[in-house]
Amino acid sequence: MSRGVLWLALLTVLAIPAGILTTGYLPADDALRHAARAVSGRPWSDILVLGPHYTVDHNFGWEALLRGLHRFTGWEAERLVDFSVLALFVVAAGAALPLLRRPEAWLGILILFFTAWPPLAGRWMNGRPLLLSVAALTVLLLALSRDAEGTRWSRGRAVAMTALLAAAVFVHGVWYLWALPVAACFLSGRYRVGWGLAAAWLAGTALAALGTGQPVDYLTEAVRTAWRAMHLHPTARTRVSELQPASSGLLLFLVLGALLAFRQLARLDAPALTRQPAFWVAGLGWTLGFLNRRFWDDWGLPALMVLAVLDLDRYLARAQPAASPRRLALSFGLAAALLCVTTSDVDSRWTRGLTRQFLPAGDPELAGWLPEPGGILYAADPAFFYETFFQNPRAPWRYVLGFEMTLMPAEDFQVLYRILWNYGAAAAYQPWVEKMRPPDRLLVRADPAAAPAIPGLEWRHLRGGMWSGRLPRPRAAKGTPQP
């Protein structure tokens, strides 16, 4: 029966993204650009206007995987996005299942956290390679929970952890953030395990960097990009939303309090919470989330989920025999509840994007109002990059703003910063207008009934509040159509 419950849990985790994708769900950002890049076959320097500091993308391994998948299957960008959403959700949400005595415990924890922290389900459905780091963190913390105090790692455990961290860093290059679980081991008093994990982290990071063929650039680019994204903005308001500080709320304290009460009521024989590395990763993620919300979303929350499932797993293993019919009934009930909780389209969270309007280059209505070959698409809204590049991965133009604004040349970043600081004031766009050439276009969102008040350009409303501006064309001779 234990194997049957595991398969039930795995199938449930697979059915969730599969069901959501049937609604037409499409994520909003990085999943689109990774898929489009795989289809385009071009380096980022041919797609974006980049500053001299850019060297290599920090998602090297994921983009290599998608390129190989595109070449092998012929899938275009939309199918690659579907693959990304489904595969990465299954990896993130299913990583804990094989490591638990009672996999149904994880289904219960997913229900609890998807309900208590609604943004979590959306974040795990965004098709971004950060979910591989979430999965690796989950596996790592569950494995560490089994190490007794003072335990030395076997050679097999060391190799496994090194391989896990190498894969995570190769796909999602934020290698420096793995210092959090290393620090957590020392804070929890597991010094030998901490030293072993530190060695696995350094070795795994080195292997991942070597696998890119640009080891030094890969490691330094990740740190430089993070530093620039945080520190080139005098105010947090102009950063992208997920890098802004945010209150992590009371969820950490509510869960910790519930665990303490549960341990007493159930008389669980469990190590002290402070002896668990997951406790310290959750605490560090909660604290650092007030500086950057990703610490909580991607590190603190998964660690808190691991901390909670450890106790629930212990309780269920003691309370119900492995072959109990009640266990099977509970597992089916949890699976059904999890499906309802996650696939529910509450607040149109999965279908909101169906009204999104794209700008395909082959649309005759847009002729003359998208960049021409060799041109540049100027925009202060990154959605123009994600959506237009996704729709036109082979288009022969570049984007001044891509997936990270601090990758832009310094003068363009300053223009963008002034636009954001002034809430999109027309005058802030003027430096871009002055440097535009005939093949270039400026895209903005404005009232469909009134052209943007940005002088020096002629404007055309495209669709859905999107306007395209270009340098005025010479007047055509009488009777000659003008594009």
Side-chain angles (χ1 to χ4, degrees):
M1 183 179 291
S2 294
R3 185 172 297 178
V5 171
L6 175 60
W7 279 108
L8 172 64
L10 289 170
L11 288 174
T12 303
V13 167
L14 176 63
I16 289 168
I20 293 172
L21 286 170
T22 62
T23 68
Y25 168 75
L26 194 68
D29 45 36
D30 281 332
L32 305 185
R33 62 109 170 175
H34 288 308
R37 167 100 190 275
V39 172
S40 75
R42 295 181 291 159
W44 283 118
S45 56
D46 287 351
I47 299 166
L48 303 176
V49 179
L50 295 168
H53 46 275
Y54 175 81
T55 53
V56 61
D57 187 55
H58 70 282
N59 298 130
F60 183 93
W62 183 246
E63 295 200 339
L65 172 64
L66 290 184
R67 281 197 303 273
L69 194 60
H70 167 67
R71 291 168 183 165
F72 180 74
T73 64
W75 288 349
E76 292 297 312
E78 186 171 357
R79 183 64 63 85
L80 290 175
V81 169
D82 289 343
F83 165 81
S84 302
V85 170
L86 189 145
L88 290 172
F89 181 91
V90 170
V91 168
L97 294 173
L99 302 178
L100 298 170
R101 290 173 293 177
R102 295 292 189 267
E104 62 270 28
W106 185 246
L107 300 183
I109 294 302
L110 290 178
I111 292 171
L112 173 64
F113 278 81
F114 284 161
T115 304
W117 196 264
L120 183 63
R123 190 149 184 84
W124 283 19
M125 278 292 294
N126 64 17
R128 295 168 61 179
L130 67 89
L131 294 170
L132 287 167
S133 290
V134 171
L137 178 67
T138 301
V139 171
L140 178 67
L141 293 177
L142 284 172
L144 292 177
S145 72
R146 298 177 177 177
D147 290 323
E149 203 168 320
T151 298
R152 288 183 181 274
W153 275 9
S154 65
R155 181 176 299 178
R157 173 66 65 86
V159 170
M161 286 300 169
T162 299
L164 177 69
L165 293 172
V169 173
F170 184 63
V171 170
H172 184 227
V174 289
W175 60 272
Y176 48 89
L177 291 181
W178 289 100
L180 291 175
V182 173
C185 288
F186 288 102
L187 290 170
S188 64
R190 300 190 176 192
Y191 301 111
R192 289 185 176 179
V193 172
W195 287 116
L197 181 58
W201 169 43
L202 295 176
T205 298
L207 288 173
L210 289 170
T212 68
Q214 299 173 264
V216 176
D217 287 341
Y218 191 63
L219 298 180
T220 57
E221 181 68 34
V223 177
R224 182 168 55 237
T225 298
W227 187 92
R228 291 173 63 85
M230 292 293 294
H231 293 92
L232 288 189
H233 295 265
T235 61
R237 174 173 66 81
T238 57
R239 299 180 202 155
V240 295
S241 59
E242 66 177 20
L243 297 184
Q244 294 180 10
S247 170
S248 303
L250 294 175
L251 183 61
L252 174 72
F253 301 99
L254 293 174
V255 171
L256 292 179
L259 287 178
L260 291 173
F262 180 67
R263 287 180 168 206
Q264 289 296 320
L265 293 173
R267 298 182 180 180
L268 279 184
D269 181 18
L273 292 177
T274 54
R275 289 292 184 180
Q276 295 286 358
F279 170 85
W280 292 102
V281 175
L284 290 170
W286 183 88
T287 304
L288 294 172
F290 286 90
L291 302 178
N292 180 331
R293 68 184 307 156
R294 291 192 64 175
F295 282 109
W296 173 243
D297 290 342
D298 303 337
W299 295 85
L301 264 177
L304 189 59
M305 294 169 72
V306 168
L307 195 65
V309 81
L310 287 170
D311 280 0
L312 186 56
D313 188 52
R314 290 188 187 98
Y315 173 75
L316 291 178
R318 189 190 70 183
Q320 291 184 343
S324 168
R326 293 179 60 188
R327 181 191 176 196
L328 188 60
L330 175 64
S331 300
F332 273 105
L334 290 172
L338 180 59
L339 280 170
C340 291
V341 166
T342 50
T343 60
S344 170
D345 194 28
V346 60
D347 296 326
S348 301
R349 58 178 173 174
W350 307 130
T351 57
R352 190 178 299 118
L354 295 180
T355 59
R356 196 183 316 176
Q357 294 181 298
F358 294 93
L359 303 174
D363 189 335
E365 294 183 0
L366 306 178
W369 293 97
L370 292 177
E372 299 170 12
I376 295 173
L377 191 155
Y378 289 89
D381 182 351
F384 280 120
F385 160 69
Y386 289 118
E387 296 173 4
T388 309
F389 181 43
F390 171 69
Q391 192 71 27
N392 309 283
R394 300 179 181 88
W397 62 68
R398 293 188 296 163
Y399 302 81
V400 74
L401 171 61
F403 53 89
E404 169 50 53
M405 62 182 73
T406 59
L407 297 180
M408 307 164 72
E411 63 274 14
D412 288 315
F413 174 77
Q414 291 303 319
V415 175
L416 176 62
Y417 177 79
R418 286 192 291 271
I419 293 170
L420 298 176
W421 175 255
N422 291 286
Y423 297 97
Y429 284 91
Q430 202 56 40
W432 276 350
V433 173
E434 293 173 357
K435 67 188 295 187
M436 284 177 64
R437 304 163 300 146
D440 303 336
R441 300 293 182 269
L442 172 62
L443 297 187
V444 299
R445 298 185 192 275
D447 184 348
I454 301 175
L457 301 176
E458 57 183 12
W459 293 93
R460 168 73 66 87
H461 176 249
L462 303 181
R463 54 189 57 161
M466 294 182 282
W467 288 82
S468 175
R470 68 185 184 188
L471 294 179
R473 299 291 180 88
R475 290 190 177 182
K478 190 174 181 180
T480 303
Q482 185 175 0

